[in-house]
Amino acid sequence: MKPDVITIEWTAEQGFRVQWRRLAAEQLFIGLAPAQVYPLVPQLFSLCGHAQALAARLALEAAAGFPRPASVEDIDILTLEAVRDTLRKVLLDWSLAFDGTPAPQAQLAQWRDAQTLPAMAALAEERVFGMAPATWLSLGLNGWLDWLGAPHSGVARWLNSLRAAETGCLLLPVLDAANLAQLSATWFDAPLPEWRGMPCEVGALSREAETLAPLLYGGQLARARLLARLLQLARWLNGARLSVETCGCGEGALARVDTARGPLLHYAALDGAGRIAHYRIQPPTAWHCHPHGVIVNTLNARRDAPEAEWRRQVALIDPCIAYEMRLQPRHRFHPG
């Protein structure tokens, strides 16, 4: 198994298994002063680079005894990063996953050129919603379901094609300061995260669970998962912003920075000389890769589905790390 590549294996005997031998790049920080870490973070983490840098700064400043809130500018940049990442996922990755063909070059060029929120809102209106994001938001659940029934875009067509029934797993509650205070430093040393002993689904679906409750109760988790990403995108383009929390944790401090895929957690503790003694990062994808987490549960509920459906489901869950699928042939030829 390649380091930092998620391996999804399927065999007729065992079903699906997920493995991720994560490279804990943050261990390079041990023994360094915080000022030495800040320039390293964007070099080590290209995806969600601003979120990673912000979480590191907030955690280290709090660990040093000087907690500071994120600035309005920080949160605006964080949200811009999430919008851009979500648009890339919708316009480029899902086009390949659902239609089997790469996105048109013109669409790729539009995404590259959209660098501001107004430009991204115009792109989303044209390519995603078929109307202004604020107008789409105002439709409500019944309106969104009507939108699915009379597709205005490729995204709506994809949503309408998804199979309805599936199993899932517990949705992670919003990790506010009160919830974060329940965590201990040793929680971060576990191979994979759990909340109260259970693997969880994180990200847009957990944040939009109340709005999409009828779909969740009806077993339409795949539709709810994709629709949640669209809801988050529309909300951000309409003025909502991602949230950030910092709190003490054990002998150090913990920062939670929300991203498009879910909460990014950084834990830091300093020694007596002010250098880093302990550092852990828990990305959203760590939750996805739990042996009983959302990837395994979702795919095992579709063991009889075609391979293309499996790949679509993984694309919906959206791990932030490259993945490869190793699939045992379903039917083997036995010469007579």
Side-chain angles (χ1 to χ4, degrees), residues 212-294:
L212 300 175
L215 292 181
L216 296 177
Y217 293 147
Q220 299 186 58
L221 287 176
R223 288 187 179 188
R225 192 172 290 130
L226 203 159
L227 193 52
R229 290 297 293 270
L230 297 182
L231 277 167
Q232 294 276 279
L233 175 62
R235 293 192 200 285
W236 296 329
L237 292 172
N238 199 41
R241 293 293 177 264
L242 287 161
S243 63
V244 173
E245 292 273 5
T246 307
C247 68
C249 182
E251 297 181 354
L254 172 61
R256 188 220 78 220
V257 172
D258 275 344
T259 71
R261 293 173 178 82
L264 170 67
L265 303 177
H266 278 227
Y267 171 78
L270 307 182
D271 63 18
R275 295 184 174 272
I276 295 171
H278 193 186
Y279 206 103
R280 290 289 185 272
I281 296 175
Q282 198 69 267
T285 294
W287 297 89
H288 301 152
C289 294
H290 193 284
H292 304 290
V294 65

Side-chain angles (χ1 to χ4, degrees), residues 29-102:
F29 302 163
I30 304 301
L32 299 181
Q36 295 174 288
V37 168
Y38 300 140
L40 287 177
V41 174
Q43 298 176 42
L44 294 174
F45 306 103
S46 56
L47 188 65
C48 297
H50 181 74
Q52 295 279 5
L54 178 60
R57 178 173 63 79
L58 294 174
L60 287 167
E61 288 178 348
F66 304 102
R68 289 193 300 168
S71 68
V72 172
E73 182 183 11
D74 278 329
I75 294 176
D76 283 347
I77 296 172
L78 178 69
T79 304
L80 185 69
E81 182 176 66
V83 169
R84 186 164 173 77
D85 182 55
T86 302
L87 274 174
R88 178 190 59 78
K89 172 59 60 176
V90 173
L91 296 177
L92 308 181
D93 294 358
W94 286 348
S95 176
L96 183 60
F98 282 85
D99 290 337
T101 57

